[in-house]
Amino acid sequence: MQPRKRHVLLLWLLFCSGVAEALEPISTTIAVGMAAALTGILARYQNIFYRFHECCRPEWISFNETRLKTDLESKLFGQHIASRIILKAVNGFMSNDNPKKPLVLSLHGWTGTGKNFVSKLIADSIYAEGMQSSFVHVFTSTLHFPHSEHIATYKSQLQQWVRGNVTNCERSMFIFDEMDKMHPGLIDSIKPYLDYYDKLDGVSYRKSIFIFLR
């Protein structure tokens, strides 16, 4: 829609310059020059806007393998095997421009083993805003889905939330914490989004990331 607006602005300025009764050639030249200048300014403004406002673009979403590797090695202790597997999985997924399915990670362990911390390190290596990114979404079972009698409503809301956010940005990340306390039917409602589908209802989930913490 943005290019069309620019063209409308340019045509409007040209039209106004044409219907004026007694415009000298020099005035017309100035008007056309101003229209061209404004068009260029608008194009540059769009790029400037992307620099200061988080968008679903490489400026804000770009995997840094070196950072993830370094962070896992220097900040995560006692999880060497897990670190290697996570790095390989994330690197393989993010370096593939056409993955066949979303990246799904399931991290298990007692409280304090670093599950949430690993999720943070992954987010920090992909999103410029890290865990504060508007494309990283965290669900906690006891906070967001506390009442089992509302499971039908939760299912519908979760499906809509995931679908809406992936529609907004295909490189979205979803983190589900306290999976052991979550109603089994709730995760069943989003299982189709985790599988090998090109699109579901017109939406592709293949570039999204789902992390489950137990």
Side-chain angles (χ1 to χ4, degrees), residues 58-131:
E59 294 94 330
W60 295 93
I61 305 176
S62 182
F63 178 55
N64 187 331
E65 180 189 2
T66 301
R67 174 171 182 172
L68 180 58
K69 184 176 185 296
T70 301
D71 283 349
L72 288 172
E73 291 176 348
S74 62
K75 299 179 181 180
L76 185 66
F77 303 103
Q79 301 289 349
H80 304 297
I81 296 177
S83 295
R84 289 196 297 270
I85 294 174
I86 290 168
L87 179 62
K88 182 178 179 179
V90 176
N91 182 47
F93 178 75
M94 293 300 298
S95 61
N96 186 351
D97 291 331
N98 189 31
K100 295 182 178 180
K101 65 185 296 292
L103 175 62
V104 180
L105 299 175
S106 183
L107 307 181
H108 300 246
W110 297 104
T111 300
T113 54
K115 302 185 300 294
N116 285 283
F117 187 59
V118 167
S119 300
K120 178 183 182 302
L121 296 183
I122 295 173
D124 288 344
S125 71
I126 297 175
Y127 303 92
E129 296 292 308
M131 290 294 292

Side-chain angles (χ1 to χ4, degrees), residues 66-197:
T66 301
R67 174 171 182 172
L68 180 58
K69 184 176 185 296
T70 301
D71 283 349
L72 288 172
E73 291 176 348
S74 62
K75 299 179 181 180
L76 185 66
F77 303 103
Q79 301 289 349
H80 304 297
I81 296 177
S83 295
R84 289 196 297 270
I85 294 174
I86 290 168
L87 179 62
K88 182 178 179 179
V90 176
N91 182 47
F93 178 75
M94 293 300 298
S95 61
N96 186 351
D97 291 331
N98 189 31
K100 295 182 178 180
K101 65 185 296 292
L103 175 62
V104 180
L105 299 175
S106 183
L107 307 181
H108 300 246
W110 297 104
T111 300
T113 54
K115 302 185 300 294
N116 285 283
F117 187 59
V118 167
S119 300
K120 178 183 182 302
L121 296 183
I122 295 173
D124 288 344
S125 71
I126 297 175
Y127 303 92
E129 296 292 308
M131 290 294 292
Q132 302 305 313
S133 171
S134 58
F135 307 121
V136 176
H137 313 282
V138 181
F139 300 92
T140 302
S141 177
T142 53
L143 175 64
H144 296 102
F145 318 110
H147 307 294
S148 59
E149 63 270 23
H150 296 156
I151 186 64
T153 300
Y154 293 153
K155 285 182 179 180
S156 177
Q157 291 176 340
L158 182 58
Q159 288 175 332
Q160 292 176 17
W161 185 257
V162 172
R163 185 185 304 115
N165 281 291
V166 174
T167 299
N168 182 46
C169 182
E170 60 183 359
R171 285 293 189 188
S172 293
M173 176 185 289
F174 302 92
I175 301 172
F176 294 86
D177 197 7
E178 298 183 346
M179 280 291 297
D180 54 312
K181 301 175 183 177
M182 190 173 293
H183 192 287
L186 195 55
I187 291 303
D188 289 342
S189 68
I190 64 168
K191 275 186 177 180
Y193 305 154
L194 313 180
D195 218 329
Y196 293 89
Y197 292 104

